[in-house]
Amino acid sequence: MEAESSGRVMVYAPVTPPTDNSYYYGNLGITVEGPGINRPQAGNLHSQGSAYRSSSTEFIAMGRKLSTKGWSGLRGKINGGTGSSSSNNELIGSEVDMKDAPDDWRGYTGLAHLWLDAGEWQGIDAKTKGAILDWVSLGGRLYVLNAGSGGNSVKELFPMVNGPEERPGKMRHGAGRLEVLTWDGNTFPLDEVTKRVKSGGDLGSWNRLDDYDQRWLLKERVGKLTLKSGLIFTFILTFGVLIGPVNLFWLAGGARRHRLFWTTPAIALAGSALLVALMVLQDGTGGSGSRLILATLMPDQKRMTILQEQVSRTGVLMGSTFPVTEPVWMMPLDIDDEHVPNFGTSNRVGTFGDNGESRWGDWYASRSVQGQLIQTVRPTRAAVEFQPAVGDATPVVLSSLEVPLKKIFIVEEGPRFWVADDLGTGEKKPLRAATEQDFRGWIREKVESDGGPIAQQVLGPVKGLPGRIYAEAADAEKLAVPTLSSIRWKDDRLIILGNYVKKL
């Protein structure tokens, strides 16, 4: 801020969900450092551990107009009528004032559902609406209760979203969903809301973040850290002999005891340098990894979502700071499959620094196997055009994507499956007929075998839907979200999904 002035800055802190490592409870501390900040502690977030949350909902946010009419009833319904958190079920969430709603999609990533009255939705400014729709495209769910007559209410309330309705009042948007429910404006539709809240985690990310410690081919391909125990034992034995008997009786023996003041630290420094050299010889510098990127095209909205799952194994890192090139949501993943419930005594800690321009801290550490989940939304004019067959003509596909495609499947109404190979940018190419078995076998090999819980959750509801494309790009680096430059991504796969543009 300028001298003698005040202002407001929004800071988005990635809130990590609890995992099995936190059996009873978890705690996330947030600190802010900088000139003029006398108390860096900005807050703490406490969460339930795995022992308690199995029957809890994901975080539900509800606009003030709806919450005054139905929140207490919804809590009672979810909690078994007692309204007590000691019940087997628990509603997790809060009332929100949409006047203070963030105009950045990252401000909504902690939510599974957002419930609003139609008047609240219509009163939001265009930038904030865009942020909410971006969040939905990444897997969120937006429910709007409309006191109107229904019918075309989805089109009326979301004119900027041109996707087809799955059924009246419900529309898919990217990996998420928009739904409009009608009500009389007075009597809260408790049963309908309860049903959706109880079953609504199927598109949210938070329920699945705890599953990355299960069997995952991406993690297995990276492999585990190995320790050459013989080499380490030899080093310890040699160091012990040098720092002990050799130092005491030969280098500083007898009347030369004063030499201990410099021989001991000299041997210690030499030993440290040798240990670092052994680590470099064993593990090398930097690291290597595998990542799977799912890019979902929404040509009607001129948007593209990126979901990036990645695992890396590092040796000795000369630095762990990397630049932030765009607004992203980045989550450290718990991929350790050897932990056991520790009843709240875990000492796992981590510091994750972010100033908007770079990240540092424990995002990457030396001699570690680590995983991250990254999401972002980008503007794009890229699209895939599909021209159906007319008469005896062959259907044609044209790509304006910035990356060439190794293979592309197009699912036409029917459904009918078409495929083409080696489709370049700006190239128009004829398609050949394919079978559903060809398509599903390719999806299984390219996505389902390597995809983690969130990738499979994003793919599942749209797999094989008519009007969509499914393609593998030849150069994953083009659309990947960059992180630490010293990581060499040896197994790098970019899968592009989304709607095609139909040309007649």
Side-chain angles (χ1 to χ4, degrees):
M1 297 299 127
E2 295 292 334
E4 300 182 359
S5 67
S6 62
R8 179 178 177 178
V9 176
M10 185 72 75
V11 177
Y12 296 98
V15 180
T16 59
T19 67
D20 285 341
N21 286 310
S22 137
Y23 192 71
Y24 282 140
Y25 61 87
N27 180 66
L28 175 70
I30 301 173
T31 61
V32 179
E33 298 177 355
I37 298 177
N38 298 320
R39 299 180 60 186
Q41 185 64 35
N44 285 279
L45 293 173
H46 301 277
S47 57
Q48 293 178 333
S50 59
Y52 291 130
R53 74 175 185 274
S54 59
S55 299
S56 300
T57 68
E58 293 188 277
F59 201 97
I60 310 298
M62 186 174 289
R64 180 164 292 176
K65 184 174 181 179
L66 291 182
S67 65
T68 56
K69 294 180 179 291
W71 187 260
S72 60
L74 182 62
R75 180 188 290 117
K77 193 88 169 177
I78 297 291
N79 292 7
T82 64
S84 169
S85 61
S86 63
S87 171
N88 290 330
N89 300 313
E90 185 176 4
L91 174 65
I92 306 296
S94 68
E95 171 191 289
V96 292
D97 187 350
M98 296 308 293
K99 293 178 182 178
D100 296 324
D103 59 7
D104 187 308
W105 61 267
R106 293 173 296 172
Y108 301 88
T109 51
L111 307 181
H113 294 187
L114 176 60
W115 290 81
L116 299 175
D117 175 75
E120 285 179 304
W121 169 253
Q122 291 169 333
I124 299 173
D125 64 83
K127 188 175 181 180
T128 303
K129 282 182 179 178
I132 295 174
L133 291 175
D134 283 345
W135 161 72
V136 172
S137 71
L138 291 167
R141 279 191 171 185
L142 172 62
Y143 294 91
V144 177
L145 269 61
N146 184 21
S149 59
N152 294 324
S153 55
V154 176
K155 297 294 186 181
E156 293 169 359
L157 290 171
F158 306 108
M160 67 293 286
V161 180
N162 299 319
E165 289 188 64
E166 294 180 342
R167 49 182 175 269
K170 187 177 292 187
M171 179 187 296
R172 184 169 296 281
H173 180 52
R177 186 170 291 166
L178 305 165
E179 188 168 352
V180 176
L181 289 76
T182 59
W183 70 317
D184 60 11
N186 294 307
T187 305
F188 189 79
L190 187 58
D191 291 338
E192 289 294 316
V193 175
T194 301
K195 180 174 68 175
R196 285 161 175 78
V197 168
K198 282 188 172 182
S199 64
D202 59 330
L203 285 179
S205 299
W206 292 72
N207 274 347
R208 306 298 304 277
L209 285 170
D210 201 22
D211 296 338
Y212 279 92
D213 59 353
Q214 307 301 318
R215 185 175 182 272
W216 182 19
L217 287 182
L218 209 64
K219 177 176 63 177
E220 294 176 7
R221 188 171 289 117
V222 168
K224 297 183 178 181
L225 289 169
T226 58
L227 182 66
K228 295 181 180 179
S229 54
L231 188 63
I232 298 299
F233 178 77
T234 301
F235 168 79
I236 294 173
L237 181 63
T238 303
F239 181 77
V241 171
L242 289 174
I243 202 77
V246 172
N247 186 28
L248 187 63
F249 298 111
W250 183 55
L251 297 177
R256 297 174 295 178
R257 288 283 187 240
H258 61 279
R259 292 186 177 181
L260 289 174
F261 289 105
W262 63 267
T263 58
T264 302
I267 294 173
L269 288 172
S272 299
L274 179 60
L275 183 60
V276 171
L278 289 175
M279 292 173 62
V280 172
L281 288 174
Q282 177 177 261
D283 303 311
T285 59
S288 60
S290 298
R291 61 186 177 187
L292 174 67
I293 304 149
L294 293 186
T296 302
L297 282 173
M298 296 176 288
D300 290 335
Q301 286 77 51
K302 302 292 189 294
R303 310 290 274 175
M304 173 192 290
T305 67
I306 300 291
L307 168 68
Q308 185 168 309
E309 294 176 325
Q310 60 187 41
V311 182
S312 62
R313 185 180 63 189
T314 57
V316 177
L317 295 180
M318 302 305 177
S320 60
T321 300
F322 55 96
V324 177
T325 57
E326 60 184 312
V328 300
W329 183 70
M330 185 170 179
M331 275 282 303
L333 295 173
D334 178 14
I335 59 174
D336 183 4
D337 56 2
E338 297 179 350
H339 60 71
V340 294
N342 47 38
F343 302 98
T345 61
S346 172
N347 289 320
R348 287 172 178 254
V349 296
T351 300
F352 303 93
D354 186 343
N355 63 5
E357 297 180 355
S358 60
R359 289 188 173 92
W360 66 93
D362 293 316
W363 296 105
Y364 292 96
S366 293
R367 274 212 107 243
S368 299
V369 176
Q370 295 172 285
Q372 295 92 22
L373 176 70
I374 302 173
Q375 288 182 307
T376 190
V377 184
R378 295 170 178 167
T380 180
R381 294 186 176 275
V384 173
E385 297 180 359
F386 171 64
Q387 182 177 338
V390 178
D392 295 331
T394 303
V396 174
V397 63
L398 171 66
S399 169
S400 60
L401 293 165
E402 61 182 286
V403 290
L405 304 178
K406 295 166 66 175
K407 185 181 286 289
I408 179 170
F409 280 89
I410 286 186
V411 184
E412 192 182 5
E413 293 292 340
R416 299 180 66 188
F417 294 84
W418 304 96
V419 65
D421 299 312
D422 300 323
L423 179 64
T425 302
E427 181 182 5
K428 183 180 287 188
K429 203 162 196 177
L431 292 155
R432 64 182 187 274
T435 66
E436 183 175 358
Q437 289 73 22
D438 294 334
F439 167 74
R440 294 194 177 275
W442 178 83
I443 280 285
R444 192 179 306 113
E445 175 190 354
K446 298 299 182 180
V447 185
E448 294 178 326
S449 62
D450 290 347
I454 305 301
Q456 294 188 24
Q457 191 172 36
V458 169
L459 175 67
V462 300
K463 184 171 62 178
L465 284 183
R468 297 181 65 87
I469 68 160
Y470 306 83
E472 181 182 8
D475 184 5
E477 187 72 27
K478 286 277 188 180
L479 296 183
V481 177
T483 54
L484 191 64
S485 60
S486 58
I487 304 295
R488 301 173 295 277
W489 301 103
K490 295 183 177 180
D491 184 10
D492 211 4
R493 186 175 302 164
L494 169 59
I495 304 297
I496 298 176
L497 317 171
N499 301 324
Y500 59 67
V501 177
K502 190 174 182 178
K503 292 292 184 180
L504 300 177

